[in-house]
Amino acid sequence: MLTQAPKGTKDVTPRQSAHWHAVEGVMRRVCDLAGYREIRTPAFEHTELFMRGVGETTDVVQKEMYTFEDKGGRSITLKPEGTAGAVRAYLEHGMANDPQPMKMYYMYSPVFRYEKPQSGRFREHHQFGLEVFGAKSATVDAEVIDVAMSVFRNLGITKLALTVNSIGCPECRKTYNQALKAFLEPLMPQMCPTCGTRYEKNPMRILDCKDPSCQALTKDAPTTFDRLCGDCAAHFADLEKLLRAMGIGYTIDKRLVRGLDYYTRTVFEIIGQFSTGPLTVCAGGRYDGLVEQLGGAPTPGVGFGMGMERLIMAMEQEGLLAQDQPLVDVFVASMGATNEAFQIARELRAAGVRTDCDHAARSLKAQFKYAGKTGAAIVLVLGEDELREGTVTMRDMRASSEKRVPRSDIAATVRAAL
RNA sequence: GUGGGUAUAGUUCAGUUGGUUAGAGCGCCAGAUUGUGGCUCUGGAAGUCGUGGGUUCGAAUCCCACUACUCACCCCA
């Protein structure tokens, strides 16, 4: 119990962290190329922010938040998604006064949801994400999708499918909800209880029901997509044009409805193929009403969240994770003269050479074994003879050759040999 | 929240119809004569058999409960 990580959490061990660094490096590069800067927001926020931002009727808010009262009597919630915090920061720091659009990304941002864990689903996971504020053009929708696809492409992930849809704006939603409710009314007695409550609170989400009988009943239900207002339809047509121009393949899923209330117009998902089945790796969309809803001036927004754990899972399944790299390039072995060996290691490090030395007073043989495991290409041996003549023996592990090197020449000789 | 599966060493797993001091591979540590890795050989350390109860002369093994892990549903990255 004590030596077991809490349910639904995972350690990234020293062996695995290199994979994360590789992924993070690609993310930073892709974002930097497109003019996005990193934002870091707290792991927790006032509960109210998520209630109003994410939406009180969502499953995330209703049953999955880690909410607690702090010692000052404030209701605090560990963030269950990334966008609300970014919007809060945008407003708090008056970023609306900076040149617009304001483009930002976040990385390795922990996200907490109290769910029952299973393959690819955790109670704490990490998201990479983008948020763009202050631009309503479909080029931003396209850019955000392009950045996500670039991350996948640069990492070599191929088993992906992009699905897009438009769920319209509050204008189209009004007429749509009427049409949908009219269609559903006679069917409601046959539908599942969850859909019953959805009917009252957010009828659009009935289309998202996974119950086979509900799906059959709503097969011919009107979709938001077919009832878009002129502006929304034009916006989506623009996006399609851009996607085609970029050569990004996609399918339209008119029933794609996301689980967070703030989305408007464009919504999309990028779904990966895993041995256990398909899993959403990246999802997002436009949220033109969110900033205003949280107390700001009307400001359009677009963004997405990408699950880092799922991304790395996808890489693992496609055999894209790099082999273990050498821990150091040089190992300084010694026989008794451990302090001197440590000094030599320090000097090499100062010269920019990745170096380790013996810390266990082990036999020379054991030190060589250990050096082999670290992947060191060069082992320096400091024994009695070398101490006496002020040299070290430099052994090239790859060529199994060795030579004596004066102490003063170590750094230069080692660097030339690597 | 609902349902299925599993629980033995750091790890992956054996463990016969209940029977004495619970095993293996990998990993770890140490040796195989004089100051040298990878291969090989030898040895060693390491397990409250998930926890608690019950059945029995005897339980890792059978029964019950709990817990954890895992997979699926709901939902989601």
Side-chain angles (χ1 to χ4, degrees), chain A residues 108-242:
Chain A
Y108 198 72
S109 167
V111 169
F112 305 89
R113 288 182 204 160
Y114 192 83
E115 316 190 72
K116 212 159 168 184
Q118 63 190 63
S119 179
R121 205 177 63 188
F122 311 96
R123 286 188 172 175
E124 180 196 40
H125 74 277
H126 298 83
Q127 289 191 5
F128 159 69
L130 253 51
E131 311 293 351
V132 181
F133 297 99
K136 57 181 198 235
S137 162
T139 51
V140 200
D141 305 45
E143 178 173 287
V144 153
I145 291 173
D146 187 39
V147 168
M149 297 306 282
S150 296
V151 168
F152 293 127
R153 193 174 53 247
N154 280 285
L155 290 170
I157 300 170
T158 56
K159 292 176 184 160
L160 296 167
L162 169 65
T163 302
V164 297
N165 187 26
S166 177
I167 57 172
C169 62
E171 285 299 304
C172 359
R173 192 74 53 80
K174 251 181 263 168
T175 53
Y176 169 69
N177 277 349
Q178 282 174 3
L180 181 62
K181 284 180 117 169
F183 173 88
L184 291 171
E185 200 178 356
L187 302 172
M188 287 320 291
Q190 304 169 57
M191 302 193 61
C192 75
T194 318
C195 283
T197 59
R198 283 176 180 148
Y199 183 80
E200 297 303 328
K201 294 186 171 165
N202 196 354
M204 187 177 76
R205 303 214 47 234
I206 290 180
L207 299 190
D208 205 26
C209 187
K210 301 296 187 295
D211 187 300
S213 69
C214 289
Q215 285 198 337
L217 287 168
T218 60
K219 196 163 88 56
D220 299 316
T223 61
T224 53
F225 190 83
D226 296 318
R227 306 266 170 154
L228 294 179
C229 66
D231 284 351
C232 287
H235 184 89
F236 191 77
D238 267 354
L239 175 61
E240 281 201 79
K241 220 176 289 170
L242 289 160

Side-chain angles (χ1 to χ4, degrees), chain A residues 1 3 10 14 53 60 73 93 110 117 120 151 158 175 251 258 285 287 289 370:
Chain A
M1 189 69 183
T3 55
K10 281 263 188 296
V60 168
H93 303 290
V151 168
T158 56
T175 53
T251 55
R258 311 247 48 258
Y287 44 86
Y370 179 80

Side-chain angles (χ1 to χ4, degrees), chain A residues 358-375:
Chain A
D358 177 57
H359 293 291
R362 285 191 277 204
S363 70
L364 189 63
K365 188 188 186 97
Q367 292 182 54
F368 264 92
K369 247 184 197 172
Y370 179 80
K373 280 171 202 157
T374 64

Side-chain angles (χ1 to χ4, degrees), chain A residues 81-83 106 113 125 127-131 144-145 148-149 152 160-164 256-260 262-263 266-272 279-287 302-308 310:
Chain A
E81 58 91 55
T83 302
Y106 49 85
R113 288 182 204 160
H125 74 277
Q127 289 191 5
F128 159 69
L130 253 51
E131 311 293 351
V144 153
I145 291 173
M149 297 306 282
F152 293 127
L160 296 167
L162 169 65
T163 302
V164 297
L256 174 60
V257 174
R258 311 247 48 258
L260 310 179
Y262 51 65
Y263 285 114
T266 310
V267 290
F268 69 91
E269 286 188 355
I270 300 171
I271 296 161
L279 223 44
T280 302
V281 178
C282 176
R286 187 163 269 283
Y287 44 86
V302 205
F304 69 71
M306 189 183 288
M308 306 268 293
R310 288 185 181 180

